[in-house]
Amino acid sequence: MKNICFEHIKIDDGFWKVKQDMVKNSTLYAVYDRFMDTHRFDALSCTWKEGEPDMPHIFWDSDVAKWIEGASYLLMEKRDERIEAIIDDAVDKIVSNSDENGYFNSHFLVTEKDKRFKIRSNHELYCAGHLMEAAVAYNKATGKDKFLKAMCRFADYIDKVFRKEKSAEFITPGHPEIELALVRLYDATGEKRYLELSKYFIDEHGMGKDDACSSYDFANNLYNQDEMPLRERSTAEGHAVRALYLYCGMADIAARYNDKELLEACKRVFEDMVNKKMYISGGLGSTYLGETFTVPYHLPNRTAYAETCAAIAMALFCKRMQMIDVNSKYADAAERVIYNGFLSGVSMDGKSFFYENPLEIDTKFNDVNNSTNTKERFPITQRVEVFECSCCPPNIVRFIPSIADLMYSFDDETVYVHQYINSQTEYDNIHISQTTAYPADGKIKITCSAPQKQIALRIPSWCSDFKINADYTVKNGYAYIAINGSREIELELNMPVVCVKANKRVHENAGRIAVMRGPVLYCAEGVDNGEDLAGIAVDISSEFKQEENDFILPSLSVCAYREKDSDMLYSKAGDDYEKFTLKLIPYYAFANRGETEMVVWFLRK
Amino acid sequence: MKNICFEHIKIDDGFWKVKQDMVKNSTLYAVYDRFMDTHRFDALSCTWKEGEPDMPHIFWDSDVAKWIEGASYLLMEKRDERIEAIIDDAVDKIVSNSDENGYFNSHFLVTEKDKRFKIRSNHELYCAGHLMEAAVAYNKATGKDKFLKAMCRFADYIDKVFRKEKSAEFITPGHPEIELALVRLYDATGEKRYLELSKYFIDEHGMGKDDACSSYDFANNLYNQDEMPLRERSTAEGHAVRALYLYCGMADIAARYNDKELLEACKRVFEDMVNKKMYISGGLGSTYLGETFTVPYHLPNRTAYAETCAAIAMALFCKRMQMIDVNSKYADAAERVIYNGFLSGVSMDGKSFFYENPLEIDTKFNDVNNSTNTKERFPITQRVEVFECSCCPPNIVRFIPSIADLMYSFDDETVYVHQYINSQTEYDNIHISQTTAYPADGKIKITCSAPQKQIALRIPSWCSDFKINADYTVKNGYAYIAINGSREIELELNMPVVCVKANKRVHENAGRIAVMRGPVLYCAEGVDNGEDLAGIAVDISSEFKQEENDFILPSLSVCAYREKDSDMLYSKAGDDYEKFTLKLIPYYAFANRGETEMVVWFLRK
């Protein structure tokens, strides 16, 4: 099965148009300005000297690369001289400072020069992978091939050192990314050696040969994705972003080599994530300690790590899985991610970012350790414009412009519609138009022309009641409809507000419900609802009303209950509740109005 | 007002008789054996040499001293040659190794010899204080005065160094205890200089003069009780045990000097604790970070520190306060402590101990950090026989035999009955007998003879319905009854099972209730109720049944509700509860049947 790439899909109205415009007009420049302030672009010049401030960091190249990749996606829609000048300048620096082997890394070329390919945990191949992805994107956007050629040389050098000569001091990268990047380089160039190198890394990871290699003191085999060969995996472990980039590579190799064993491992880790380790927001990674997955059903809300990059990587993994295993669960998971735990990573104005995306903010108890200099750690409560570790902001710059990548795949018989986004698509002889306000409502008008194919529409798992103005049969979560060349279809997904509970094994959410409408999770903030949100109780049979706001999708209001105030610390429990009108906003929009309490999970009345 | 000391009170049946027998027959020897194993008694010989194992620790003297104090209390009831031989041997070592000034410390005499009185945080005066308390107790129990004389010499030396010459490198102790010990030494000897030295420490603490002195890196002014002069305090801050020992000293000085300003400070910190910082178990200290108080209403159940020593120190503070401020709230707080968060510190067999007393054990999520060597910290889930920092076990050895100290105080007009314990009391011309199964039930028959006095019976704050077969007037929580020389009174405290809620500001307990009967808190354990206790819901109007068990007080059973099992991580909330019979045991008895889940706070159905 093939994907229809986002460059063939024009999102011309609705929810994601707003977000794509935000990236184009705001986020792209906001991130660029911060990267200039912090000398991330300057670092490409490789002029830094020992003793100077702002030593190029081991992962700075990846930050710049992701920005170039995102900028390139915008250039695909419309060329822009200023942006191209920035990228051309960066490419010139990368190419002119690459060594005779094609090697480039703005950290290892100017400091730790003797450490090249010696420290597994130091993001060297991760940076290389992102540079390759950027080069592919820039080539596709502009036709310029200087960057792409340089990255092919770099890839050839990596192939030589790692696969042919095995002269590096580690075998597989500490931070995966190059695996999927090499597949992309293969797709762009047709050079099979890149695919083979990716497969080599996938084959070798977890074989126990890298044990002696350097890593962080706090890290163990699970953190490093070393616990067992990838084909034997059945659970998602370790650093969440590293795990998910690796799973993307696994899925790519499974698809390209028709590797059933690898595919089954991909399916198992997917199931483990969505059934036992995923926040209702789609967030992944339950702890800041190592930024890792933890144990099944351990989903603390206040200290959720749920990194924005993990959300993006999960969407990228789902995109790959929906092409090789026809089941709506992959697009369901991607949808949960993109409307919630991914999108919460960026402010409404597109200029500030969360690295961690908690599901609860309890401002009163964020500075509890008044008697010690050592403090309990909680995520920040406000998005910030710049992070020292700034992987998430440029990842947003590349992900939102390419969001339509998640929408369609096709094989000889069927065009699959995975996501509902108002858009026009033309790819070969496939023409699809979606007219919809989704997810503001569940009505989607789809016009599809695709000779010799049927169309398959995903029925989202959140939807228990839908209508299609055509005959259909449902299989694996998709409604298959004959289109006989061309057809206009009306799909109506009934989208009431639903109170959702978590599995009883999630002790954190015992007795609590979350409010969703379609794929969109809601939350309550202190700025709307006062203090002590933890005690708010909602009757699950309540009627919710929609209200306009500044957050694209409407707010909800509902009659709810909260405990009356008291001076007693402990007292006899009675019927001490008062009614009030609870206001809910989309979760992705939390923390846009100053520091305030926030909860996702409410008590049940 | 005066206290009636426990040595005049014979507990001859009932709840505390069981616990006193436990200490006499089990805990005393269990702690002694561990102290022998760990060379705590041997250390008194001061023969340790650099390079040998088991270097005497800075607080080992206090461990031994508390054991001697507790053993002495048992000797008051019945002399015992073997115990006296142990103590005499220890005393001989202490006396023979005291230096020419009377100084004794088994750590600073053999290692860090040049550090005497130089490191404020190193428990030197804390150890001295406990040795003084032990000496007073042993003298009272046996009439032998060798230990007491030695400790008077030591106190005189401390007076010289700290108060007269001011030659120590700190002014007030990092770990309070000597303040209350000096008052006790004054009470035992009549030597006013000990009282004056105590007052000196109380006057000087928090005056900002000790800022430059050494302390732990993690500690700040609040930890060290240095934030402001003691008379200005209005909140309880810092290391909970240190704070509470200091408050005991403050109350002692307030009483002895009729110092109203100091008394008001004591009242304010008491109110801050019981209204904003006390667990329903009576536990104090919300975090292991510095073992400190945190901010108001921050009462996490699973990570509660609630040290056993803090519970004991709170009871000691309440005992002092009930003598200087007639209000039942002090005895109410002491009662909450002794039946719950104190008593949970020792196993039913008296041989193993909790240092921390959490209000929730969630075994499934105690080892969540499988991907990192760095782990989130949770309290231990099983009592242990020996701690490296073993302050709590010998504190239990001295506290339970002297529990009756909390029962009575009197002034010229009134005998106050603060606690209800089956016992016989004879002190001067006051004779009181209590016949009761309390707290198994609320019926107490009190026979009191006390010429020219009335009797005042505490009406516990948990009791909303009581009967007395006599005329009475209630004031400040006490029912005052004329006894005309001598009288038999029947008090009946109605003691139903009550569902208690926490203040809405305690977010941790939002929507939850705890079950109490009289002063006794109940909990549910996994061993009785299966897994996932966090999701158990109790209807607050339910009828509870009592059942026999091995834990002195009965278990309770009640019809309760829990979520049905499901494979879905998230699903639409419905009426998915099943009924079952919930079994509750007294909180103090948790963790006596192997590692298992435990909760105190239940959802409300």
Side-chain angles (χ1 to χ4, degrees):
Chain A
M1 199 187 296
K2 277 188 182 170
N3 194 47
I4 299 182
C5 178
F6 72 90
E7 64 204 67
H8 306 292
I9 304 169
K10 185 170 172 55
I11 296 176
D12 47 8
D13 199 4
F15 188 88
W16 288 105
K17 176 72 163 77
V18 177
K19 290 297 175 189
Q20 290 194 336
D21 285 348
M22 173 194 79
V23 171
K24 188 166 62 182
N25 300 322
S26 168
T27 313
L28 181 75
Y29 301 101
V31 174
Y32 176 75
D33 289 345
R34 295 295 82 70
F35 282 6
M36 288 301 287
D37 297 343
T38 55
H39 305 290
R40 276 166 160 79
F41 277 92
D42 295 342
L44 303 174
S45 304
C46 297
T47 54
W48 183 86
K49 298 278 182 307
E50 199 68 48
E52 289 179 5
D54 301 317
M55 182 184 82
H57 193 275
I58 49 168
F59 49 60
W60 275 9
D61 292 349
S62 70
D63 292 343
V64 170
K66 280 186 278 190
W67 185 89
I68 292 174
E69 186 185 341
S72 300
Y73 295 160
L74 296 172
L75 294 175
M76 287 180 192
E77 196 193 326
K78 191 178 172 210
R79 301 285 290 263
D80 180 315
E81 279 181 20
R82 193 190 142 205
I83 298 293
E84 285 184 48
I86 291 168
I87 298 175
D88 288 338
D89 179 61
V91 169
D92 286 346
K93 285 173 178 157
I94 290 167
V95 173
S96 65
N97 289 304
S98 294
D99 78 0
E100 65 281 8
N101 300 299
Y103 178 89
F104 182 82
N105 185 297
S106 67
H107 175 86
F108 289 96
L109 282 170
V110 301
T111 181
E112 300 197 283
K113 292 178 191 174
D114 58 336
K115 293 286 194 303
R116 181 186 298 187
F117 296 143
K118 288 188 176 169
I119 307 171
R120 189 185 181 211
S121 59
N122 275 4
H123 297 71
E124 216 170 352
L125 296 181
Y126 166 80
C127 286
H130 275 303
L131 286 168
M132 291 171 200
E133 287 206 84
V136 169
Y138 192 57
N139 173 254
K140 223 174 182 183
T142 63
K144 299 177 189 173
D145 63 0
K146 184 175 182 181
F147 194 13
L148 183 61
K149 280 183 172 166
M151 287 307 110
C152 286
R153 273 191 77 210
F154 192 6
D156 290 337
Y157 177 55
I158 292 168
D159 193 33
K160 174 167 167 274
V161 172
F162 281 83
R163 190 162 66 113
K164 296 189 179 129
E165 296 179 352
K166 294 185 173 42
S167 56
E169 288 198 13
F170 54 93
I171 296 161
T172 63
H175 196 317
E177 148 67 21
I178 196 164
E179 302 84 349
L180 72 91
L182 285 165
V183 174
R184 213 165 156 190
L185 198 60
Y186 159 70
D187 287 344
T189 62
E191 297 292 344
K192 188 125 196 225
R193 63 184 179 279
Y194 303 136
L195 184 64
E196 286 165 355
L197 179 57
S198 173
K199 182 172 182 296
Y200 171 79
F201 285 134
I202 295 295
D203 289 343
E204 292 294 315
H205 212 124
M207 298 303 282
K209 300 174 189 168
D210 264 323
D211 277 0
C213 284
S214 61
S215 183
Y216 307 117
D217 287 344
F218 64 79
N220 64 19
N221 270 349
L222 271 66
Y223 177 95
N224 287 321
Q225 304 299 326
D226 285 341
E227 75 269 31
M228 61 178 75
L230 300 186
R231 287 174 182 80
E232 295 174 19
R233 297 296 167 92
S234 55
T235 58
E237 311 288 355
H239 185 279
V241 175
R242 295 171 195 226
L244 282 156
Y245 280 158
L246 186 59
Y247 302 159
C248 286
M250 285 165 65
D252 279 342
I253 296 302
R256 298 303 189 290
Y257 285 89
N258 193 22
D259 184 331
K260 294 239 168 359
E261 215 182 342
L262 204 50
L263 173 60
E264 290 304 316
C266 288
K267 287 185 189 177
R268 290 193 301 267
V269 295
F270 176 86
E271 294 290 331
D272 187 53
M273 286 190 287
V274 299
N275 293 330
K276 294 178 182 171
K277 294 174 181 170
M278 184 181 253
Y279 284 95
I280 193 168
S281 63
L284 291 164
S286 295
T287 178
Y288 80 95
L289 286 169
E291 312 181 348
T292 62
F293 290 105
T294 59
V295 297
Y297 306 109
H298 178 243
L299 295 162
N301 293 308
R302 241 188 117 190
T303 56
Y305 203 72
E307 187 183 331
T308 307
C309 283
I312 292 171
M314 180 64 174
L316 298 177
F317 179 48
C318 292
K319 177 178 81 171
R320 286 158 169 83
M321 292 304 290
Q322 73 191 4
M323 281 192 283
I324 43 180
D325 182 30
V326 178
N327 193 305
S328 63
K329 63 190 175 188
Y330 303 110
D332 282 342
E335 187 179 49
R336 187 188 288 284
V337 166
I338 62 176
Y339 287 105
N340 304 301
F342 157 66
L343 205 50
S344 55
V346 56
S347 61
M348 293 303 297
D349 68 5
K351 293 179 179 172
S352 57
F353 309 94
F354 275 136
Y355 189 100
E356 297 162 66
N357 295 273
L359 281 83
E360 180 184 334
I361 293 177
D362 200 348
T363 47
K364 279 188 197 168
F365 299 113
N366 259 14
D367 190 19
V368 293
N369 303 109
N370 45 0
S371 299
T372 48
N373 302 319
T374 315
K375 306 288 180 192
E376 203 173 339
R377 183 195 185 279
F378 297 104
I380 55 171
T381 57
Q382 292 284 279
R383 293 178 188 84
V384 294
E385 293 192 359
V386 62
F387 294 92
E388 200 171 339
C389 176
S390 195
C391 48
C392 302
N395 225 354
I396 291 166
V397 170
R398 73 182 186 132
F399 184 70
I400 289 180
S402 60
I403 191 93
D405 250 10
L406 301 172
M407 290 181 72
Y408 302 111
S409 62
F410 66 95
D411 57 20
D412 292 344
E413 292 167 5
T414 311
V415 176
Y416 290 88
V417 183
H418 303 295
Q419 300 297 341
Y420 299 109
I421 297 175
N422 193 89
S423 58
Q424 313 301 323
T425 303
E426 300 211 4
Y427 180 73
D428 285 352
N429 57 2
I430 300 173
H431 299 248
I432 317 172
S433 133
Q434 287 193 36
T435 308
T436 181
Y438 192 92
D441 69 45
K443 288 180 201 152
I444 306 121
K445 199 168 89 178
I446 296 166
T447 312
C448 179
S449 123
Q452 276 88 51
K453 293 197 206 303
Q454 60 185 338
I455 193 165
L457 308 181
R458 178 175 65 98
I459 307 304
S461 61
W462 56 257
C463 183
S464 57
D465 176 27
F466 65 96
K467 273 188 266 183
I468 303 175
N469 67 343
D471 292 337
Y472 63 87
T473 52
V474 174
K475 195 178 163 191
N476 294 330
Y478 290 90
Y480 290 81
I481 303 159
I483 56 169
N484 307 316
S486 167
R487 184 156 187 181
E488 187 176 303
I489 301 161
E490 282 176 23
L491 168 64
E492 189 169 344
L493 302 166
N494 190 21
M495 195 186 274
V497 176
V498 176
C499 292
V500 176
K501 66 174 184 179
N503 191 292
K504 65 186 277 186
R505 298 186 192 99
V506 184
H507 296 175
E508 176 90 4
N509 298 335
R512 293 184 176 264
I513 57 96
V515 176
M516 298 194 75
R517 182 167 177 269
V520 178
L521 176 66
Y522 280 77
C523 70
E525 286 200 301
V527 66
D528 296 317
N529 300 291
E531 298 185 334
D532 305 318
L533 302 184
I536 294 173
V538 174
D539 183 337
I540 61 168
S541 62
S542 297
E543 194 187 327
F544 291 79
K545 287 187 189 146
Q546 296 191 29
E547 285 171 13
E548 291 303 301
N549 61 28
D550 299 328
F551 305 134
I552 315 179
L553 295 177
S555 303
L556 298 174
S557 71
V558 64
C559 172
Y561 305 83
R562 61 186 166 199
E563 190 91 11
K564 288 180 190 155
D565 211 357
S566 157
D567 288 335
M568 303 279 286
L569 184 51
Y570 302 109
S571 54
K572 188 174 174 178
D575 197 12
D576 317 308
Y577 291 98
E578 60 182 16
K579 283 191 182 185
F580 77 108
T581 300
L582 173 66
K583 184 174 168 186
L584 303 162
I585 62 166
Y587 168 77
Y588 63 71
F590 84 88
N592 274 283
R593 295 171 293 168
E595 187 181 63
T596 187
E597 282 188 43
M598 184 275 287
V599 292
V600 162
W601 291 96
F602 303 92
L603 292 168
R604 280 177 70 159
K605 177 73 182 174
Chain B
M1 200 187 296
K2 277 188 180 171
N3 194 47
I4 298 183
C5 178
F6 72 90
E7 64 204 70
H8 307 291
I9 304 168
K10 185 171 174 54
I11 295 176
D12 47 8
D13 198 5
F15 189 88
W16 288 106
K17 177 72 164 75
V18 176
K19 290 297 175 188
Q20 291 195 335
D21 285 349
M22 174 194 80
V23 171
K24 187 166 65 181
N25 301 321
S26 169
T27 312
L28 181 76
Y29 301 102
V31 173
Y32 176 74
D33 289 346
R34 296 296 81 70
F35 281 7
M36 287 302 287
D37 297 345
T38 55
H39 305 290
R40 276 168 162 78
F41 277 91
D42 295 343
L44 303 175
S45 304
C46 297
T47 54
W48 183 87
K49 298 278 183 305
E50 199 66 50
E52 289 178 4
D54 299 317
M55 183 185 82
H57 192 275
I58 49 167
F59 50 60
W60 275 8
D61 292 349
S62 70
D63 292 345
V64 170
K66 279 186 278 189
W67 185 89
I68 293 175
E69 185 185 341
S72 299
Y73 295 160
L74 296 172
L75 294 175
M76 288 179 191
E77 195 192 328
K78 190 176 172 213
R79 301 285 290 263
D80 180 313
E81 280 182 19
R82 192 189 144 207
I83 298 294
E84 284 184 49
I86 291 168
I87 298 175
D88 288 338
D89 180 60
V91 169
D92 286 346
K93 285 172 178 159
I94 291 167
V95 173
S96 65
N97 289 304
S98 294
D99 78 1
E100 66 281 6
N101 302 299
Y103 178 90
F104 182 83
N105 184 299
S106 68
H107 175 86
F108 289 97
L109 282 171
V110 301
T111 180
E112 301 196 284
K113 292 178 193 176
D114 57 335
K115 292 287 195 300
R116 180 186 298 186
F117 296 144
K118 288 188 176 169
I119 307 171
R120 188 183 181 212
S121 59
N122 275 6
H123 297 70
E124 217 170 354
L125 295 182
Y126 166 80
C127 286
H130 276 302
L131 287 169
M132 291 171 200
E133 288 206 82
V136 169
Y138 192 56
N139 172 254
K140 223 173 184 182
T142 63
K144 298 176 188 174
D145 64 0
K146 185 175 182 179
F147 194 12
L148 183 62
K149 280 183 173 168
M151 287 306 110
C152 286
R153 273 191 77 211
F154 192 4
D156 290 338
Y157 176 56
I158 292 168
D159 193 33
K160 175 167 166 273
V161 172
F162 281 83
R163 190 163 64 115
K164 294 187 180 132
E165 296 180 351
K166 295 184 170 44
S167 56
E169 288 199 11
F170 54 92
I171 296 161
T172 62
H175 197 317
E177 148 67 22
I178 197 165
E179 301 83 350
L180 72 91
L182 284 165
V183 174
R184 212 166 158 189
L185 199 60
Y186 159 68
D187 286 344
T189 62
E191 297 291 346
K192 188 122 197 228
R193 63 184 178 278
Y194 302 135
L195 184 65
E196 286 164 356
L197 179 58
S198 173
K199 182 170 182 296
Y200 172 79
F201 285 133
I202 295 294
D203 288 343
E204 292 295 314
H205 213 125
M207 297 303 283
K209 300 174 189 168
D210 263 324
D211 277 1
C213 284
S214 61
S215 182
Y216 307 118
D217 287 343
F218 63 79
N220 65 18
N221 270 350
L222 270 65
Y223 177 93
N224 288 321
Q225 304 299 325
D226 284 342
E227 75 268 31
M228 61 178 76
L230 300 186
R231 287 175 182 78
E232 295 174 17
R233 296 299 166 91
S234 54
T235 59
E237 311 287 355
H239 186 280
V241 175
R242 295 172 196 226
L244 281 155
Y245 280 157
L246 187 58
Y247 301 160
C248 287
M250 285 165 65
D252 280 341
I253 295 302
R256 299 303 189 290
Y257 285 89
N258 194 23
D259 184 331
K260 294 237 169 359
E261 215 183 342
L262 205 50
L263 173 60
E264 290 305 315
C266 288
K267 287 185 188 177
R268 290 192 300 266
V269 295
F270 176 87
E271 293 291 332
D272 187 53
M273 287 190 286
V274 298
N275 294 330
K276 294 178 182 171
K277 294 174 181 170
M278 183 182 254
Y279 284 95
I280 193 168
S281 63
L284 290 164
S286 294
T287 178
Y288 80 96
L289 287 169
E291 313 181 348
T292 61
F293 290 105
T294 59
V295 297
Y297 306 109
H298 178 244
L299 294 162
N301 293 306
R302 242 189 118 189
T303 56
Y305 203 70
E307 187 183 334
T308 307
C309 283
I312 292 172
M314 180 63 174
L316 298 178
F317 180 48
C318 292
K319 177 178 81 172
R320 285 158 169 84
M321 291 304 290
Q322 72 193 5
M323 280 192 283
I324 43 180
D325 182 32
V326 178
N327 193 306
S328 63
K329 63 190 177 188
Y330 304 110
D332 282 342
E335 187 178 49
R336 187 187 287 282
V337 166
I338 62 176
Y339 287 105
N340 304 300
F342 157 67
L343 205 49
S344 56
V346 56
S347 61
M348 292 305 295
D349 68 5
K351 292 179 180 173
S352 57
F353 309 93
F354 275 136
Y355 189 100
E356 297 163 67
N357 295 275
L359 281 82
E360 181 184 334
I361 293 178
D362 199 348
T363 48
K364 279 186 193 166
F365 299 114
N366 259 14
D367 190 19
V368 293
N369 303 108
N370 45 1
S371 300
T372 47
N373 302 319
T374 314
K375 306 288 179 192
E376 201 173 343
R377 183 195 186 276
F378 296 104
I380 56 171
T381 57
Q382 292 283 278
R383 292 179 190 82
V384 293
E385 293 191 1
V386 61
F387 295 91
E388 202 172 334
C389 176
S390 195
C391 48
C392 302
N395 225 353
I396 291 166
V397 170
R398 70 180 188 135
F399 184 69
I400 289 181
S402 60
I403 192 93
D405 251 9
L406 300 173
M407 290 179 73
Y408 302 112
S409 61
F410 65 94
D411 57 20
D412 290 344
E413 291 167 7
T414 311
V415 176
Y416 289 89
V417 183
H418 302 296
Q419 301 296 341
Y420 299 109
I421 297 175
N422 193 91
S423 57
Q424 313 302 323
T425 303
E426 301 209 5
Y427 179 74
D428 284 351
N429 57 359
I430 300 172
H431 299 246
I432 317 172
S433 139
Q434 287 193 36
T435 309
T436 180
Y438 192 96
D441 68 44
K443 286 180 202 151
I444 305 120
K445 199 168 88 178
I446 296 165
T447 311
C448 179
S449 128
Q452 275 90 48
K453 293 196 206 304
Q454 60 184 340
I455 193 165
L457 307 181
R458 179 174 65 98
I459 307 304
S461 61
W462 56 258
C463 182
S464 57
D465 177 27
F466 65 95
K467 272 187 266 184
I468 302 175
N469 69 342
D471 291 338
Y472 62 87
T473 53
V474 174
K475 195 178 162 192
N476 294 330
Y478 290 91
Y480 290 79
I481 304 160
I483 56 169
N484 306 319
S486 167
R487 185 157 185 178
E488 188 175 302
I489 301 162
E490 283 177 21
L491 168 64
E492 191 169 343
L493 302 167
N494 190 20
M495 197 186 272
V497 175
V498 175
C499 293
V500 175
K501 65 175 184 178
N503 191 292
K504 65 185 281 187
R505 298 187 192 100
V506 184
H507 296 174
E508 176 91 5
N509 298 335
R512 292 184 177 265
I513 56 95
V515 176
M516 298 194 76
R517 182 167 176 269
V520 178
L521 176 67
Y522 280 77
C523 70
E525 287 199 299
V527 66
D528 296 317
N529 299 291
E531 297 184 331
D532 306 318
L533 302 185
I536 294 173
V538 174
D539 183 336
I540 61 168
S541 61
S542 296
E543 193 186 330
F544 292 80
K545 287 186 191 148
Q546 296 192 28
E547 286 170 11
E548 290 302 301
N549 63 29
D550 298 328
F551 304 134
I552 316 179
L553 295 177
S555 302
L556 298 175
S557 73
V558 65
C559 173
Y561 305 83
R562 61 187 166 200
E563 190 90 12
K564 288 179 189 157
D565 211 356
S566 158
D567 288 335
M568 303 280 284
L569 184 51
Y570 302 108
S571 55
K572 188 174 173 180
D575 196 12
D576 317 308
Y577 292 98
E578 61 182 15
K579 282 191 184 185
F580 76 110
T581 300
L582 172 66
K583 185 175 167 186
L584 303 163
I585 62 165
Y587 168 77
Y588 63 72
F590 84 89
N592 274 283
R593 294 170 295 168
E595 188 180 63
T596 189
E597 282 188 44
M598 183 276 286
V599 292
V600 162
W601 291 96
F602 303 92
L603 292 168
R604 281 177 71 157
K605 176 73 183 175

